Amino acid sequence: MTAQYQSHDGIAVITLDNPPVNGLGHSTRVGIVEGMTRALDDATVKAIVITGAGKAFSGGADIREFGTPKAMQEPSLQTVIDTIEASPKPVVAAIHAVAMGGGLELALGCHYRVTAKGAQIALPEVNLGLLPGAGGTQRLPRVIGLEAALNMITSGNAIPSEKFADTKLFDHVASDDVLPAAVKFARNVAAAPGQHPQVRNLKVQHKNAEGYLGFARSTLAATSQRFPAPLKCVDAVAASLKPFEQGMKDERDGFLYLLSTPESRALRHAFLAGRAASKIPDVPGDTPTRKIAKVAVIGAGTMGGGISMNFLNAGIPVTMLEMKSDALERGVATIRRNYESSAKKGKLTQDDVEQRMNLLRTTLSYDDIGDADLVIEAVFEEMGVKEAVFRKLDGVMKQGAILASNTSTLDVNTIASFTTRPQDVVGMHFFSPANVMKLLEVVRGEKTGKDVLATVMQLGKKIKKVAVVAGVCDGFIGNRMLEQYSRQAGFLLDEGALPEQVDRAIETFGFAMGPFRMIDMAGNDIGWAIRKRRAIEQPEFTYSKTGDLLCEAGRFGQKAGAGWYDYEPGDRKAYPSPQVNEMIVRHSKDLGIARRKISDAEIVERLVFALVNEGALILEEGIASKASDIDMVYLSGYGFPQFRGGPMLYADQFGLYNVAQAIQRCAKGYRGEAWQVAPLLQKLADEGKGFND
Ligand code: T1G
């Protein structure tokens, strides 16, 4: 049972005990009801305290249970809360650390609430595409008011409990251990005469509820087009103005509606996927990690500077090494400029800026970095340069230092072979701008030590990155899939589409930026270099020639003032280019292709399923250990729409049978050789399964 029962000297204590965060899964719900029954049957028990073991009072309903029969199996959370609220003996919630979602709703069903100072409370269901479904939208407005409740519920933000010390949400704020304080409080109220308060009997007062709710709706409508939950939250909170039972019914209807939406499935998947990413199948969770107290970064350019900032932000000292002092000065100046601009926006104080800059050291000599615990090289992307750096590092770095490469395309096993310590070598692929982008691909070499992986994954969390382990292959996970996506984007131009149509179609699907606007921003010469390399190494890898024609015309993108689109000086807006579109149409003619009208649906299908099919190959080859890791790569590093949960989850929701059918149709079309259904995709489709099952 994941809820314990004790009673002592007239006070029963029910302790939620379902690590890691006392999720209110079925067994915990059973434990609470059984505890309540024992307490009510025991005449010596005068009052009941509910508390949580470990690091939380409760993190809410068990997200892992959603979509399984247990989620709705009685006693439901609603039943548990009704049992508590109807108790003739007073029930006191003793809250510490975290009371979120269903956990806070459980406390709201109690007659009294005692909280420890600093405990974080929240109704974050909206972040999962849901609304509080166990009375939170009805009880919270009754204790803290309509506006404060609506803000908490639609933002999902965690708030220190003492902020509500003067409201009916809390009856007492304990300055130290909350359980003894709650037991003492329970003993006092047990002795008090009369009915114990029930939140449901309070009334919601607001001088202009309709006006306020209308304003809230229009504000939220502007920012939540692709997410149905926020507006449903407003509807549920609005129902708190009705009689309680009616309001509870409205809340239930809204919750059940949202539970079945693809957006909620996507957001719940992303929540669990984000936490699963740090679990590496063959690396035990208790693998000892190395202490990372000092970091060295080789290279003070855009990447080196951005990488350094991640560690400075986390309070870890960095020594940045360059070959020339003017490059170092430029690098330091850029870092300071970035911090100053954050300070101007109020994101940092001036003290924060100075504190971080004071953690930064620079040097021109490798001799100064030998005592760093981790060194990350961000030098020119050429194997010869990497070799020189790693041979040098092998000679100067202390034993036990981790030697990391920020390479985005080169073979980490080859890089490791330049050292006498391949077990200490790992890839840490940051994405530009490295101090902003959340994704960090941790590239595992054949000989990379398990403790090195465990250390880097733990460090990734500390520097607030989404760290995902990738095996060694060309492009790791993200870029390898992106190459297939880009190939299809080019082929669509050959066949009849234009850049602005392709971009608009995929941006309507939800991508932050379409392929042509994106490559114009990154630089068309990057793809050009890859295609030239492919032409030598893998001539069977064909591409549309339009990208080469563009580069031959010097149209490298925004940085050249012209790319797939035209750009005006000082204006980042992409204007469709008549010159480029004529070039595309002329190229189709040269190929003898009769251009055809291509639907937006086909554009989306070809681009997204190109990602999915390559993702299936990546899974098969073990480059990614789970489909949810691939989803995290695309959600956190490539602008895949959050409300769709990542390419692999999107394919699951589309149905892998249908995905396979679509790919087979593409294989019969132009450049069909690019389309072979990945064996794993076909296998799962045949079995009626999904990647994330
Ligand atoms: N259900 C299941 N597992 C959960 C969980 C939950 N609610 N919350 C956390 N975990 C797991 C998480 O996957 C990870 O697992 C471990 O706990 C530590 O999490 C009816 C319907 C509570 C602030 O949205 O915000 O109630 O990787 O790394 O940084 O109205 O977890 O160790 O295997 O995040 O200390 C609403 C979500 C649910 C809260 C702790 N509740 N959780 O943060 O640890 S819906 C939430 C959090 C609901 C009702 C509705 C945070 C935390 P593993 P962690 P942390």
Side-chain angles (χ1 to χ4, degrees):
M1 197 69 71
T2 49
Q4 313 307 333
Y5 178 89
Q6 283 168 323
S7 78
H8 174 68
D9 193 15
I11 305 294
V13 178
I14 298 171
T15 304
L16 311 182
D17 189 8
N18 181 21
V21 296
N22 296 329
L24 296 168
H26 181 254
S27 73
T28 306
R29 302 197 299 269
V30 169
I32 298 169
V33 170
E34 288 186 356
M36 285 300 297
T37 305
R38 282 181 63 178
L40 296 178
D41 291 350
D42 180 342
T44 66
V45 168
K46 304 300 177 204
I48 301 139
V49 172
I50 298 180
T51 187
K55 69 179 201 178
F57 171 75
S58 169
D62 189 331
I63 300 170
R64 287 184 176 80
E65 255 186 14
F66 289 135
T68 72
K70 276 186 180 283
M72 299 300 185
Q73 190 179 346
E74 288 293 347
S76 68
L77 186 52
Q78 197 60 62
T79 301
V80 171
I81 293 169
D82 289 347
T83 305
I84 292 167
E85 193 171 54
S87 161
K89 298 180 182 178
V91 183
V92 180
I95 292 172
H96 79 291
V98 165
M100 291 192 172
L104 182 59
E105 293 173 298
L106 180 73
L108 284 164
C110 297
H111 304 105
Y112 305 95
R113 287 158 293 282
V114 175
T115 181
K117 208 166 158 26
Q120 294 290 315
I121 61 166
L123 288 178
E125 289 84 342
V126 70
N127 298 330
L128 300 172
L130 298 170
L131 56 78
T137 64
Q138 306 305 304
R139 291 191 174 91
L140 192 64
R142 283 172 163 79
V143 292
I144 65 171
L146 187 75
E147 294 192 20
L150 189 66
N151 285 333
M152 261 185 83
I153 289 167
T154 52
S155 69
N157 289 341
I159 296 177
S161 56
E162 59 271 21
K163 275 204 183 263
F164 297 106
D166 303 332
T167 71
K168 290 186 169 61
L169 177 52
F170 293 112
D171 303 277
H172 177 61
V173 179
S175 46
D176 44 26
D177 193 344
V178 70
L179 185 53
V183 168
K184 185 169 169 234
F185 186 93
R187 206 175 296 287
N188 293 341
V189 294
Q195 183 76 12
H196 298 289
Q198 294 180 327
V199 170
R200 62 161 58 218
N201 295 330
L202 299 174
K203 285 272 170 288
V204 180
Q205 310 288 343
H206 192 281
K207 55 190 180 309
N208 175 19
E210 280 324 299
Y212 174 72
L213 291 165
F215 168 73
R217 280 196 177 89
S218 54
T219 308
L220 285 165
T223 56
S224 60
Q225 294 95 328
R226 313 301 289 261
F227 296 90
L231 288 176
K232 285 287 182 188
C233 284
V234 178
D235 295 344
V237 170
S240 67
L241 295 155
K242 300 177 183 176
F244 186 78
E245 290 305 336
Q246 178 56 52
M248 287 299 287
K249 185 186 171 313
D250 290 4
E251 174 191 270
R252 192 83 193 137
D253 292 348
F255 176 75
L256 292 177
Y257 167 79
L258 289 172
L259 192 60
S260 65
T261 59
E263 292 83 359
S264 180
R265 168 122 191 252
L267 291 170
R268 297 191 317 258
H269 169 70
F271 174 85
L272 294 174
R275 285 152 180 83
S278 55
K279 292 177 182 48
I280 308 164
D282 65 335
V283 177
D286 59 359
T287 300
T289 55
R290 300 184 192 180
K291 187 171 181 314
I292 304 294
K294 292 167 88 170
V295 171
V297 175
I298 315 289
T302 310
M303 287 309 285
I307 291 169
S308 300
M309 289 177 71
N310 289 304
F311 296 97
L312 301 175
N313 298 345
I316 299 173
V318 173
T319 301
M320 210 159 58
L321 180 144
E322 256 294 354
M323 292 296 105
K324 298 197 185 70
S325 50
D326 60 340
L328 264 187
E329 282 154 25
R330 274 200 305 278
V332 172
T334 304
I335 292 174
R336 174 170 283 282
R337 197 167 48 249
N338 286 338
Y339 281 141
E340 297 286 3
S341 94
S342 299
K344 276 204 191 74
K345 292 174 200 154
K347 290 182 189 164
L348 289 180
T349 65
Q350 202 50 43
D351 279 354
D352 294 331
V353 173
E354 296 317 323
Q355 211 171 33
R356 293 175 194 199
M357 292 308 294
N358 290 339
L359 288 172
L360 178 61
R361 295 280 173 278
T362 59
T363 181
L364 297 172
S365 162
Y366 275 87
D367 297 341
D368 293 344
I369 63 169
D371 64 342
D373 305 298
L374 163 69
V375 57
I376 304 173
E377 62 78 13
V379 297
F380 187 64
E381 188 74 352
E382 197 279 316
M383 195 55 99
V385 178
K386 305 288 188 189
E387 177 173 0
V389 167
F390 272 82
R391 289 194 188 286
K392 187 78 181 164
L393 291 175
D394 193 32
V396 303
M397 300 308 295
K398 70 180 181 184
Q399 283 311 308
I402 294 176
L403 317 182
S405 168
N406 173 55
T407 182
S408 54
T409 59
L410 300 175
D411 186 324
V412 170
N413 293 322
T414 307
I415 291 173
S417 72
F418 301 140
T419 74
T420 58
R421 39 176 139 174
Q423 73 283 358
D424 295 337
V425 176
V426 68
M428 289 180 76
H429 177 210
F430 289 85
F431 287 74
S432 185
N435 54 308
V436 174
M437 293 302 285
K438 301 300 282 177
L439 179 60
L440 169 63
E441 280 183 322
V442 177
V443 186
R444 177 179 191 170
E446 279 152 21
K447 295 180 180 153
T448 301
K450 292 187 178 183
D451 65 328
V452 168
L453 280 172
T455 303
V456 173
M457 295 306 279
Q458 185 184 66
L459 188 62
K461 201 169 180 178
K462 182 165 183 167
I463 62 173
K464 297 191 173 41
K465 294 295 181 188
V466 175
V468 178
V469 174
V472 174
C473 71
D474 195 336
F476 313 135
I477 297 173
N479 285 343
R480 175 171 159 183
M481 291 164 66
L482 189 70
E483 186 167 8
Q484 297 309 324
Y485 171 91
S486 305
R487 284 179 81 197
Q488 289 307 319
F491 293 152
L492 284 161
L493 299 186
D494 292 350
E495 291 183 83
L498 292 174
E500 54 271 27
Q501 183 201 0
V502 174
D503 284 351
R504 188 182 53 247
I506 201 72
E507 288 165 13
T508 303
F509 172 80
F511 267 79
M513 197 177 277
F516 297 107
R517 283 203 312 127
M518 182 179 71
I519 197 66
D520 260 4
M521 195 169 77
N524 293 312
D525 42 335
I526 294 172
W528 199 22
I530 292 174
R531 292 192 298 273
K532 285 177 183 169
R533 181 158 60 85
R534 281 271 182 270
I536 298 161
E537 292 166 2
Q538 288 170 287
E540 76 282 3
F541 239 59
T542 56
Y543 294 83
S544 163
K545 285 275 172 274
T546 45
D548 300 347
L549 295 173
L550 202 73
C551 291
E552 285 154 18
R555 295 181 70 102
F556 294 123
Q558 279 184 18
K559 63 187 176 185
W564 292 103
Y565 293 92
D566 291 336
Y567 297 90
E568 304 295 332
D571 176 359
R572 298 170 70 89
K573 189 170 171 1
Y575 297 92
S577 166
Q579 179 190 338
V580 169
N581 290 351
E582 275 161 35
M583 175 272 280
I584 290 167
V585 170
R586 196 169 47 250
H587 180 63
S588 303
K589 193 159 173 288
D590 295 349
L591 290 174
I593 293 174
R595 288 176 69 82
R596 64 183 175 88
K597 184 163 173 29
I598 298 177
S599 70
D600 287 1
E602 181 181 345
I603 290 172
V604 170
E605 201 170 75
R606 296 228 334 234
L607 294 181
V608 175
F609 292 165
L611 294 176
V612 172
N613 203 46
E614 196 64 23
L617 292 171
I618 283 170
L619 268 178
E620 263 172 70
E621 295 166 26
I623 297 294
S625 64
K626 40 191 177 304
S628 61
D629 282 357
I630 296 173
D631 286 333
M632 286 318 296
V633 164
Y634 264 75
L635 289 170
S636 58
Y638 288 80
F640 197 92
Q642 298 297 321
F643 62 90
R644 297 193 191 273
M648 311 310 270
L649 184 84
Y650 175 72
D652 287 350
Q653 302 216 60
F654 194 89
L656 296 193
Y657 173 83
N658 303 323
V659 174
Q661 290 291 307
I663 291 174
Q664 275 149 12
R665 279 197 306 277
C666 294
K668 296 187 185 108
Y670 175 67
R671 296 297 180 94
E673 73 278 7
W675 292 101
Q676 276 93 33
V677 180
L680 173 64
L681 195 162
Q682 191 61 60
K683 175 175 176 294
L684 292 170
D686 295 345
E687 294 166 357
K689 288 183 183 161
F691 290 116
N692 285 291
D693 285 358

